[in-house]
Amino acid sequence: MSFVRFLARPMLASSFVLAGMDKLKNADDTATQLSPLLRRAAESLPFQADEKVLARVIGGTQVGAGVCLALGKASRLAATVLAVISALNGYVEWRSADISSKEGRDARRKQLLKNVSLTGGVLLASVDTAGKPSLAWRAEHLAADARKTTAHLAADARKTTGKKLKKADKAVRKAVDHAVGA
């Protein structure tokens, strides 16, 4: 891991870990703020779920994914989870912000820009392969190598078969000549 990644991942993850811990501590407030979305989510689940429990799950997921990102463990998956949570949080905070005053509208805009920036940061982290090729790239190149190898083997087989046929043809002619001459 490069020095920049070593520093950047925990720096980016810290905001998510702290926000997730806040969601866990203040599950009632989180449930109130997220209630329209949580109500829909609770209705679509195949089991009964309380909005407060879902708020805690979101907070715990945010903490867990943030810690994984900070430690560099399954960081691409963790960053993808954080991107989804960040986009969701940004939308909810934007909708629930107080816009009755100029200060409220300014705070709403600043909060939206912060959330957009964090979402962009974790989206970049979600595609960061740390200088290693992605699984898709590896699979594509493995398939191309297999095609090349197969083509070489087929060419070698044709060449060997052609030589064997020539030898067999020569042997048959020699046997025919020998039989005719005898």
Side-chain angles (χ1 to χ4, degrees):
M1 182 182 332
S2 75
F3 184 70
V4 171
R5 283 184 188 89
F6 179 76
L7 290 177
R9 284 183 180 155
M11 290 168 67
L12 181 59
S14 65
S15 175
F16 292 102
V17 171
L18 292 176
M21 289 175 67
D22 187 48
K23 281 182 178 63
L24 288 171
K25 286 180 188 174
N26 305 315
D28 292 328
D29 295 339
T30 303
T32 302
Q33 189 180 27
L34 298 175
S35 70
L37 291 172
L38 293 179
R39 201 172 311 120
R40 285 188 209 145
E43 291 170 1
S44 65
L45 292 173
F47 53 87
Q48 277 297 86
D50 183 20
E51 290 177 7
K52 192 174 176 181
V53 171
L54 288 176
R56 284 189 177 130
V57 167
I58 289 171
T61 302
Q62 197 168 355
V63 170
V67 168
C68 286
L69 178 64
L71 296 175
K73 302 295 179 194
S75 57
R76 292 177 70 193
L77 175 63
T80 302
V81 169
L82 290 175
V84 170
I85 290 173
S86 179
L88 220 152
N89 284 339
Y91 173 73
V92 169
E93 288 175 4
W94 181 75
R95 289 207 57 209
S96 65
D98 176 29
I99 57 169
S100 60
S101 67
K102 182 174 176 15
E103 292 82 23
R105 287 188 297 274
D106 287 343
R108 176 183 172 184
R109 185 176 56 248
K110 287 178 185 175
Q111 190 67 23
L112 177 65
L113 288 173
K114 179 197 77 137
N115 285 326
V116 167
S117 299
L118 284 173
T119 303
V122 291
L123 280 174
L124 279 174
S126 72
V127 296
D128 179 28
T129 60
K132 298 175 187 167
S134 68
L135 290 177
W137 185 92
R138 290 182 211 179
E140 183 181 319
H141 282 77
L142 183 63
D145 289 346
R147 281 192 297 274
K148 285 180 187 175
T149 302
T150 304
H152 288 300
L153 289 173
D156 288 346
R158 281 191 300 274
K159 193 177 191 181
T160 302
T161 305
K163 287 180 181 177
K164 296 292 182 187
L165 283 174
K166 284 181 183 177
K167 276 187 178 180
D169 185 47
K170 197 175 191 181
V172 168
R173 288 176 192 234
K174 191 175 185 182
V176 168
D177 288 346
H178 185 62
V180 172

